[in-house]
Amino acid sequence: MSNIFNYNNKFFSAFDKVINIFCLSLIWFMACIPVFTIGASCTALYYAVNKVIRHGRGYIWKEFWSSFRSNFKQATVIWLIFLLIGLIMGADWFIMFQFMKAGAAWGKAFVIFVVMLVFEIAIWLYVYPNIARFENTNKAIVKNAALMSFAHLPKTILMLVILLVIAFLVYLIPFFLIFAPATFIAIQNGIMEKIFLRYMSEEDIAKEEERNREYFN
């Protein structure tokens, strides 16, 4: 019976993660309101999920805003570029789709823009984790993200599918929206960190393990 009130047991650990996911999602929504801050918000969400939920270090509010502030400039610049490209491709897709509906054969080219949009989303799924985890130039971040998205294509497709599934769940159960952002990042984190391990030196891996040991000790 006493084990029920042991806050280190699996039940309380799982409950704590659910609460953190809920709170982080709310913080993310709040931080995304100006729209141009979405890049920094995604970066901060990944950082907080990785540090607090995955490794149990720190506090969600503090870690989220710490990453948000420190990565704001870089994440915002890259996000605005991606947003602009996405809006242009989205407009092209819409125009071509209308031509196709009107009977123009070349309107079928809308498929090309759909594929390009999917590629952009796929690359973005690697961009903000790279910003959250590594220090690099804007050009290197985007280049590495693009290379990783193609080098690990099966996992890229898996993340896109998971994103679609979560979006579908939100469509079916609107209430799930308040858990969706951090839930996706928590799942993505498990995939991305395994990919990152392939690019990290043994020294970097050892330093991370040491930081985790020092926190729990």
Side-chain angles (χ1 to χ4, degrees), residues 26-44:
L26 289 182
I27 296 171
W28 181 83
F29 279 120
M30 179 175 65
C32 285
I33 291 175
V35 179
F36 72 89
T37 58
I38 289 177
S41 301
C42 290
T43 301

Side-chain angles (χ1 to χ4, degrees), residues 46 49-50 54 184-194:
Y46 187 92
V49 165
N50 184 66
R54 181 180 174 87
F184 171 73
I185 298 297
I187 298 172
Q188 182 198 23
N189 180 260
I191 299 171
M192 286 300 307
E193 291 304 308
K194 290 179 182 177

Side-chain angles (χ1 to χ4, degrees), residues 164-195:
L164 283 174
V165 169
I166 289 179
F168 185 64
L169 284 174
V170 170
Y171 172 76
L172 292 178
I173 313 170
F175 178 76
F176 183 64
L177 179 63
I178 61 176
F179 292 93
T183 297
F184 171 73
I185 298 297
I187 298 172
Q188 182 198 23
N189 180 260
I191 299 171
M192 286 300 307
E193 291 304 308
K194 290 179 182 177
I195 293 174

Side-chain angles (χ1 to χ4, degrees), residues 19 23 33 44 49 56 64 87 97 101 116 125 141 143 151 203:
I19 295 299
C23 293
I33 291 175
V49 165
F64 183 95
L87 289 174
F97 187 71
K101 287 173 65 177
M116 291 173 67
L125 289 177
I141 287 287
K143 179 182 177 182
E203 182 181 355

Side-chain angles (χ1 to χ4, degrees), residues 53-115:
I53 295 179
R54 181 180 174 87
H55 293 108
R57 294 161 46 199
Y59 300 94
I60 56 173
W61 180 268
K62 179 182 177 181
E63 302 305 336
F64 183 95
W65 292 112
S66 173
S67 174
F68 185 91
R69 289 190 297 270
S70 62
N71 295 304
F72 180 81
K73 183 178 179 179
Q74 182 174 47
T76 300
V77 169
I78 297 175
W79 158 248
L80 290 178
I81 293 172
F82 270 72
L83 179 60
L84 178 61
I85 294 172
L87 289 174
I88 293 172
M89 290 192 294
D92 289 334
W93 163 80
F94 180 78
I95 293 170
M96 291 296 104
F97 187 71
Q98 297 307 311
F99 277 123
M100 187 197 71
K101 287 173 65 177
W106 48 274
K108 295 179 181 178
F110 84 91
V111 175
I112 296 174
F113 295 106
V114 172
V115 172

